[in-house]
Structures are given as structure tokens and as C-alpha cells.
Amino acid sequence: MAGEQDDLEFNRFYQALQTGYLKQFEHAQEHCYLVCIPQTAAMAGVRITQQFVETHILKPSPMFQDNYISTDRLGSKTVEVEGHEVKLIEGFNHSSPIRIISEELCYNKKYKPYKMLIIDKPLEGEVKGRRGSAGLSDDFLKPRTSFVESVKFLNLFPECRFQLLNLDKSIQQFNHNYLMVKGYLAAVSEKLKKIWQENLEALVAANNYVTLQSDTRLEESLSIATESYLMGGVHTKVFNAVCDECQKRDRTLAVKSEQLHGITGKHLGVKAEFDCPLLTPVVELARLDGIVCPHEKIVCLNTTLELITEEVTHHSRQDLVPGFTPACLTSDDLIPLLVLVISQAKCYHLASNLTYIESFHWSSSKNDNLGFSVVTFKAAVEYMLSTDFSPLAKSEHKIKKEMSIDELMAASAFTDDPESADQGEAPPRELTEMTQSLQREFNNISKMMEESMNIQQAEPNRNGYQPSRRKSSPDKPESSQTTNRQPPGSLPRRDSKSAQLGDFLLALQNDVLDSSYGKQE
């Protein structure tokens, strides 16, 4: 076929087959009928009726090959598919052939194939002079995210100002007159949903571009903008009521977040290649409480998940061997990582936000994946609520009051070997502070012993004890025989037999003075 493509996700007729005319569409799939879908640009202004659907769902003719009959009760129309064209044989007001843009081979529930043809224009019912879109750009048709953007978008259509004034009155009446009762959040949702639907219908009817637009993107943008406009106006009143409903769950999540302080992905079973800092998603999620519109809140959740995936993918590729592909991030790894992000983001009303989204987000695009984000966050919240993280917190925050033998000997070895420092060899990170503390202790003991030695040489002991002096040899001068030993600048290295002694007793055991202290025999 031709190289042209049509996006069926925005095609009004294809969407109608999946919604209002689903029964006929499923019947056609089951019997492997031919389905003709006019391209999106040709559907501007076309009314989709039962007769229109029956004309474009065709069953094979029992008489001639490549001939098809309409599925209306009388089978009043006949077409022939030849090459790249659909020829109108019988029952139509005109006989001009219709070009086939593309052909899709599909399969039903029983895995039997059926064809779907994307055709240049409807077999009948085309509105002359209404071909193409309303001239609106793709960027203009994208749904607005924030409350401010939604307000600006709706005010771009002057013909809708009267409808916006009515919507403002409805918001004002709700804020001043509606009584919020705890436990009746569903009733509040129904009330606001009714206001949204009524005003949306009025806005769509008044908009001059909706009837000119060949697809449903403008209607979707108006739907989301109207919801954000409404919920932004009543947010303070409604969200406070939601927080009251979810107060207990929010407090429990806050306690769980405190227990997770200092915990890493390794403690939660995350694979080493996925365990990395997640600062960007933490910053994104931290702004959730300050958002007023349900649609923007759900976009924030979706963006957080995307940022987690990006950070993990970037981290896993850093040490990746050339020729190998990074491991795929599964939900089993995503949930623990998301739990860590939630605990670090200090989102104190996460349960309330999820309830707020589920209760007051009615408009959703058929082409996004935002619903998956809510499901993923709900799974992470349930994981946090059902898991006791206190054992992990205790083991992580346990204060180390003493050094092990291996750590002490390692620190001593590094202290006694200054050449290693000159050569650029650094001690392990966990021993750096310990080594500095040990060095200060060694210096204090050495200083104390040196002072004791000086006092001993300067004056006799109070008990009359004088340090013994060795007799000089007649052959050698006394100065050469007299040994005036000084304590070393640092203590000798401990051997394994003395490992159980304290620092001070060990120093006394290994002292090198000429005399001992204590009671003399």
C-alpha cells in the first residue's frame, strides 16, 4: 500500500467501534468481516450512526470473490476490493472508487485473521468542504497539566466565556454552601463530577473548533482543562476533607519513612546494578503536596517513575562491559526503589493524594499510561504499610562503641608505617577516623611516660628510692656506659597474645624504662 499512515488512536470512527458500537465490532471480528476505517482527516463533521457503521462493516459475498456486502438487514450495498481501491458496485449515490491508504491484518480472540482497510474517505456520508483538521497544531492540542495552564487554555476561546462564568458560579456555590461530612467522600465526588460533566458539555457545544476538528484530541484537552479548572477552585475545601479521611494512613506512612532513614536499596533486596542515588525523582515527588489538580498530581507520579527508570538505567550502564545490554528494571526492583524515594521525599500526605486522584480524576486520555503510575504507587504504599522496617533501622543506626581486633591492628599498622602515606596509599575509609583517634591516644601515653622519666632523673623518689646506676668499666668512660633511654615516639606494634589488653595496660607491659614502679623487694 501507500506509505501513508493514520493514527487510529485519534480516529473518531475507530473509537466509536470500540465504545458505542462495540457489539457490532466484536461480531465482525468473530466472523472475520472486512472493516473499512475512513482516515481521521476525512471524518470532520461526519455523523456516526448505525447505518454508517453497517455500511463500513462488510461481509464476504457468497457469489463473487473479492466482493463484499454491507451488514445492514437487507445487505443493500455491494463493494469490490481490487488492488489499491474500493469500487462501489451497488447501493451508493456515487460510483467513484475510493483509495486504500493501508491494510491492517488483525486477529480475533480465536486467532483467526480479518482485514481492516484504512480508506481515503467514507464510503458514504462525507461532508464536503470539511476535510482535514481545524488547523490547530499538535502542541496546541496537547492536554494542559497545571491549574494555571488550564485557566489560560479555556480563556483562549472567546465563545466559551459565558460558560466559564457559569462554572465560576458553581465553584463559588460549592465552596460556600456544600457541607463536607466525614465518611461521605463518594457523595462529594459524585456532586463535583456532575458539575464537571454539565459544564464540559456546554463548553464543547459552544466551542467553534470542536466540530471542525477531525479527531478527539481537542475534546480531550477541553475535558482535562475543565476538570483542572473545577478542582483547582475547590481544592482547599476538598483536599482538607480527604486528609481527614486518610489521616491514620498518612501518619503510619510517616512513621515508616522515619524507619527507612539511612536505609539503602541493598537492605531492601535491590540488585547491586540498580542500587544508586535517586535525587531527581525525590525532588519531583517532594512537590506533590503543593499541586492542586488531580491531573497534575498523576503526571507528577508518572514523572517520578520515569526519572527512577532513567537514573537506574544510567547507573547500570556506567560499568557495563561493551557488547552487553543493561538488565531490565522489573516491578520487583521498582517497588523497593520507589519506597526509598517516598521515604526521602517527605511526602506527608501520600495516602491522601492517592485517594484524591482516584476520587476526583474523571477525565483521562486513551493514549497515556498514567493509570499505571497510580497502581504502582498504591503497591508501594501497601508494601510500606505491611512491612516492619524497624529491625533494619536498628541495625543501621547501631552505635559502635569499640573496635574489633582486626580494625585496631589495621589502624596500628598504618600508623607505624608512615612510608605508605608518603607513597600515596590511603587507609580504608572506615578506618580513617579510628586511626586519627588511636594516634592521639598513642601520643598522650608517650608524653606521659616521657614526663615520668624526666621527674625520675631529676630528684629521688619520695620513699628514698634512687634509680640504680651501673658501675663504669675502667676501660671505658662512664658516659659511654651510662644509658639514658628515652621512650619511643610511638608504641611498638602489638602482638596477637596481647590483643585482649587495654591500651594503657598494654603500654605499661611493653615499657622500656630502666626501673619498674610499685613495691620493691
Side-chain angles (χ1 to χ4, degrees):
M1 297 298 172
E4 304 174 45
Q5 296 292 332
D6 189 69
D7 194 348
L8 294 179
E9 293 181 347
F10 299 111
N11 190 288
R12 290 177 55 238
F13 181 59
Y14 184 71
Q15 291 181 355
L17 291 178
Q18 294 182 315
T19 53
Y21 299 95
L22 181 60
K23 186 176 180 180
Q24 291 92 320
F25 189 41
E26 290 180 343
H27 181 77
Q29 292 175 347
E30 182 181 356
H31 293 83
C32 301
Y33 289 169
L34 178 68
V35 181
C36 295
I37 308 291
Q39 66 170 325
T40 301
M43 288 299 297
V46 176
R47 292 182 65 250
I48 300 176
T49 62
Q50 180 70 25
Q51 181 182 357
F52 185 89
V53 173
E54 292 173 348
T55 301
H56 289 79
I57 295 180
L58 307 166
K59 58 184 178 181
S61 171
M63 302 296 295
F64 302 100
Q65 187 178 5
D66 295 331
N67 281 24
Y68 297 87
I69 303 173
S70 61
T71 52
D72 59 300
R73 186 174 300 178
L74 301 177
S76 58
K77 298 178 177 64
T78 303
V79 302
E80 180 184 1
V81 178
E82 183 178 351
H84 298 338
E85 293 180 339
V86 177
K87 295 182 177 180
L88 308 181
I89 305 298
E90 184 180 354
F92 296 93
N93 296 328
H94 64 95
S95 59
S96 301
I98 297 176
R99 183 171 62 95
I100 299 175
I101 297 176
S102 63
E103 178 181 315
E104 302 288 342
L105 183 63
C106 309
Y107 294 87
N108 60 17
K109 296 179 180 179
K110 297 181 180 180
Y111 301 102
K112 294 182 178 180
Y114 68 94
K115 290 183 180 180
M116 191 157 53
L117 302 180
I118 312 300
I119 57 180
D120 182 56
K121 59 183 179 179
L123 299 178
E124 69 174 6
E126 181 185 13
V127 179
K128 300 297 182 180
R130 301 290 292 278
R131 191 174 183 82
S133 68
L136 304 176
S137 65
D138 292 338
D139 290 337
F140 183 83
L141 293 173
K142 289 181 179 179
R144 271 51 179 180
T145 301
S146 67
F147 172 70
V148 176
E149 291 176 346
S150 299
V151 172
K152 292 181 179 179
F153 177 70
L154 292 178
N155 281 282
L156 291 175
F157 306 99
E159 65 273 17
C160 297
R161 289 179 181 176
F162 178 75
Q163 285 70 25
L164 288 179
L165 290 176
N166 290 336
L167 181 55
D168 289 335
K169 291 180 181 178
S170 300
I171 293 173
Q172 186 176 6
Q173 290 177 359
F174 179 87
N175 286 331
H176 287 84
N177 302 329
Y178 194 85
L179 179 62
M180 305 289 292
V181 181
K182 189 174 183 179
Y184 289 88
L185 199 60
V188 180
S189 176
E190 289 298 325
K191 173 68 176 178
L192 291 173
K193 184 177 182 180
K194 185 178 180 180
I195 297 175
W196 166 71
Q197 289 175 334
E198 292 175 351
N199 286 273
L200 175 60
E201 292 176 1
L203 287 168
V204 170
N207 194 289
N208 294 331
Y209 291 89
V210 172
T211 55
L212 299 176
Q213 184 67 26
S214 56
D215 54 37
T216 59
R217 287 182 291 174
L218 179 58
E219 294 183 44
E220 290 181 0
S221 297
L222 289 172
S223 174
I224 295 174
T226 305
E227 177 194 279
S228 299
Y229 192 102
L230 171 62
M231 294 309 303
V234 301
H235 172 264
T236 302
K237 184 173 185 176
V238 173
F239 191 71
N240 288 340
V242 174
C243 290
D244 290 339
E245 293 276 351
C246 305
Q247 186 177 18
K248 184 177 179 180
R249 290 170 64 87
D250 284 334
R251 288 180 177 178
T252 305
L253 287 175
V255 173
K256 298 292 185 178
S257 298
E258 290 297 328
Q259 293 177 353
L260 287 167
H261 179 69
I263 302 301
T264 63
K266 179 181 179 181
H267 297 90
L268 299 181
V270 178
K271 297 177 183 178
E273 59 266 29
F274 297 149
D275 190 10
C276 63
L278 300 171
L279 300 180
T280 308
V282 167
V283 173
E284 174 66 21
L285 186 60
R287 68 185 191 92
L288 182 65
D289 287 343
I291 300 174
V292 298
C293 303
H295 181 72
E296 187 178 3
K297 285 181 180 289
I298 197 174
V299 170
C300 176
L301 301 183
N302 185 67
T303 305
T304 301
L305 294 179
E306 291 178 349
L307 291 174
I308 291 176
T309 304
E310 290 178 4
E311 293 283 353
V312 170
T313 302
H314 177 73
H315 174 76
S316 60
R317 287 178 176 175
Q318 287 183 343
D319 300 327
L320 190 66
V321 179
F324 289 82
T325 57
C328 180
L329 182 66
T330 64
S331 58
D332 293 338
D333 296 307
L334 178 60
I335 296 298
L337 291 173
L338 181 56
V339 167
L340 294 176
V341 171
I342 293 172
S343 64
Q344 296 172 21
K346 305 299 181 183
C347 188
Y348 297 109
H349 300 288
L350 181 59
S352 299
N353 280 294
L354 293 177
T355 302
Y356 182 73
I357 292 171
E358 290 184 309
S359 301
F360 301 100
H361 183 53
W362 312 293
S363 60
S364 59
S365 175
K366 303 178 180 64
N367 311 299
D368 56 38
N369 199 28
L370 299 181
F372 171 76
S373 305
V374 178
V375 174
T376 305
F377 268 84
K378 289 179 65 177
V381 167
E382 292 301 324
Y383 175 77
M384 293 180 68
L385 294 175
S386 60
T387 306
D388 183 15
F389 301 106
S390 55
L392 293 177
K394 291 179 181 179
S395 61
E396 182 68 17
H397 297 145
K398 182 178 179 181
I399 299 177
K400 194 169 185 179
K401 298 182 178 180
E402 58 184 16
M403 293 181 293
S404 65
I405 298 300
D406 294 337
E407 291 174 343
L408 190 60
M409 294 181 65
S412 177
F414 178 79
T415 305
D416 293 341
D417 188 10
E419 294 181 1
S420 61
D422 297 336
Q423 296 174 0
E425 298 181 6
R429 179 180 296 179
E430 61 270 16
L431 296 179
T432 303
E433 296 183 358
M434 179 180 63
T435 304
Q436 295 175 353
S437 177
L438 186 62
Q439 179 64 47
R440 288 193 297 268
E441 186 177 349
F442 285 166
N443 293 338
N444 291 337
I445 294 176
S446 299
K447 183 177 180 180
M448 179 190 64
M449 296 175 63
E450 184 177 0
E451 292 175 353
S452 300
M453 183 62 183
N454 293 336
I455 294 175
Q456 177 186 3
Q457 292 178 346
E459 59 182 51
N461 191 278
R462 291 182 178 180
N463 295 329
Y465 172 75
Q466 287 261 13
S468 59
R469 297 176 59 89
R470 297 180 183 178
K471 295 182 180 181
S472 59
S473 171
D475 300 330
K476 295 182 180 180
E478 183 177 354
S479 59
S480 63
Q481 295 291 331
T482 302
T483 303
N484 187 13
R485 300 180 183 177
Q486 298 292 335
S490 62
L491 294 180
R493 186 180 303 177
R494 309 177 187 181
D495 54 30
S496 59
K497 295 182 180 180
S498 305
Q500 297 181 352
L501 295 179
D503 294 323
F504 183 77
L505 293 178
L506 186 63
L508 293 179
Q509 182 186 33
N510 296 332
D511 85 32
V512 292
L513 299 178
D514 287 336
S515 60
S516 60
Y517 295 88
K519 184 178 180 181
Q520 303 296 321
E521 295 295 339

